[in-house]
Amino acid sequence: MTEVKYPAPDNHDEIDLLNVLERLFSFVGRYKRLLLLAAIAGMLSGIIIYLALPKEYASRMILHSNVLTNPEEIAIISDWSALLKNGEYDVLSQNLDCSNELLHKIKYLTADEIQKVQTSNTSSGFTVDVLVKDTAILGILQKAIIYGLANNDYVKERVDIRKANTTKIITDINHEIAKLDSTKKKIEGSNAGKTHGPSSFIVDISNVNIQMIQLNEKLYQYQEQLKFVDAIQVLQNFEKYSKPDSPRLSFLMISGFIGGLFLAYMLICYKYLNQKIALIRETREKNKGEI
């Protein structure tokens, strides 16, 4: 049986890789001082740029709407964002009832819906993200955004109707509770022999107590609804963070480091080309002289 002979593996790729690594280490070793100085200079430049650039701070507020849907609220804030980008400060200041100086300190304003949990039937609210030049304006800005979302003619009318209806229901429930309480007292008095009435007046007092408990539960529910009937509820306020979102020191230092090495490499290439050109010229002149 003839033995199959496989060709020997080619080590050409390994030799090329070793040559590349050898040249790379040789290059770094030859120009290590220049590369090191350029990298340090680049990182220092990044730090200087970080200190010189104005700081911008990001913050997030979480809101919940009792009148409009989340997409409707987000659409309103998107319109405000467009006005801010186009420099329509006068129009936006009227919508938010704030000064133009406040708006000039806002870099951007966006809103997004919180992902709704599938097992829950309730609205999950939405987020409002801002990037500002000064965290001191966040409290005023929060009030301005809530004012702009709540002081819409349609929204105010819906809130007023809800308040009136809820208040009326609470009044009716209180009236029914008072009537049941009066009935309960009459029954208790009749059972004790203190109240004289017709012998046919027979009512189960336990049933009256159950009805009163149910009415009180409804009363508490409607009182809670009345307390939170406002158009906008704040679930999380804007936070004032000490670290800026932009510029980022780490990014600038890394960019400076890479930029410094690149400039050093370009300088080395420039010097190398000059040396080569000078050598070619010298060789040509020498050859002309020999001729």
Side-chain angles (χ1 to χ4, degrees):
M1 184 175 181
T2 306
E3 183 180 356
V4 179
K5 293 183 178 180
Y6 296 97
D10 188 6
N11 295 329
H12 183 69
D13 292 340
E14 294 181 5
I15 295 173
D16 287 345
L17 179 60
L18 290 175
N19 288 334
V20 171
L21 292 175
E22 184 180 355
R23 290 181 181 181
L24 177 62
F25 286 125
S26 176
F27 175 82
V28 174
R30 185 177 180 183
Y31 298 103
K32 60 181 178 181
R33 180 174 296 180
L34 177 60
L35 293 172
L36 181 61
L37 291 175
I40 294 174
M43 293 175 69
L44 290 175
S45 300
I47 295 174
I48 293 172
I49 293 173
Y50 172 79
L51 296 174
L53 288 176
K55 306 300 183 291
E56 297 172 350
Y57 302 86
S59 190
R60 168 172 288 184
M61 176 172 56
I62 302 178
L63 300 176
H64 181 273
S65 176
N66 292 323
V67 178
L68 301 180
T69 63
N70 288 344
E72 289 171 336
E73 299 284 13
I74 292 171
I76 293 173
I77 296 176
S78 297
D79 290 341
W80 295 347
S81 180
L83 292 173
L84 186 65
K85 289 179 182 178
N86 295 331
E88 298 289 346
Y89 298 113
D90 293 334
V91 178
L92 187 56
S93 63
Q94 293 178 2
N95 291 334
L96 301 181
D97 191 29
C98 64
S99 63
N100 286 10
E101 290 76 15
L102 175 73
L103 300 177
H104 279 88
K105 295 180 181 180
I106 305 173
K107 290 293 294 182
Y108 73 72
L109 171 67
T110 59
D112 195 12
E113 187 171 11
I114 300 175
Q115 186 175 2
K116 184 177 180 180
V117 182
Q118 294 181 357
T119 57
S120 176
N121 295 324
T122 59
S123 176
S124 57
F126 60 98
T127 60
V128 179
D129 294 291
V130 295
L131 187 68
V132 298
K133 300 177 181 178
D134 185 7
T135 57
I137 70 168
L138 288 175
I140 304 173
L141 178 59
Q142 176 173 314
K143 293 180 181 178
I145 292 173
I146 295 172
Y147 174 88
L149 294 175
N151 282 270
N152 175 286
D153 291 338
Y154 170 77
V155 172
K156 287 193 293 184
E157 186 175 355
R158 287 282 302 274
V159 171
D160 291 340
I161 292 174
R162 283 188 180 183
K163 285 183 178 180
N165 292 338
T166 307
T167 302
K168 185 178 183 306
I169 292 174
I170 291 174
T171 302
D172 293 340
I173 291 175
N174 281 323
H175 182 67
E176 292 299 321
I177 290 174
K179 288 169 62 176
L180 283 174
D181 186 60
S182 176
T183 303
K184 180 181 176 181
K185 289 179 180 179
K186 289 180 180 180
I187 296 171
E188 290 175 347
S190 177
N191 292 337
K194 296 179 180 180
T195 305
H196 299 285
S199 58
S200 61
F201 185 75
I202 301 174
V203 180
D204 187 1
I205 191 170
S206 62
N207 189 32
V208 175
N209 290 331
I210 292 173
Q211 292 182 34
M212 289 187 66
I213 292 172
Q214 292 174 347
L215 286 175
N216 277 297
E217 288 178 352
K218 290 184 178 180
L219 177 63
Y220 299 148
Q221 292 175 1
Y222 283 108
Q223 286 176 341
E224 182 179 356
Q225 289 182 17
L226 183 61
K227 184 177 181 180
F228 296 101
V229 76
D230 293 334
I232 296 294
Q233 297 294 331
V234 180
L235 305 183
Q236 177 181 296
N237 298 312
F238 280 135
E239 297 290 347
K240 297 180 181 179
Y241 298 107
S242 58
K243 293 183 179 180
D245 185 74
S246 174
R248 296 187 177 181
L249 180 59
S250 58
F251 174 78
L252 291 175
M253 289 183 66
I254 293 173
S255 300
F257 177 81
I258 296 173
L261 291 179
F262 178 75
L263 290 176
Y265 176 76
M266 295 299 295
L267 179 60
I268 293 169
C269 291
Y270 176 76
K271 291 173 111 180
Y272 176 78
L273 289 175
N274 279 342
Q275 290 175 358
K276 284 290 184 182
I277 292 172
L279 181 61
I280 293 172
R281 287 177 180 175
E282 184 180 349
T283 303
R284 286 179 179 177
E285 290 177 358
K286 185 177 179 179
N287 293 333
K288 286 181 182 180
E290 291 178 355
I291 295 174

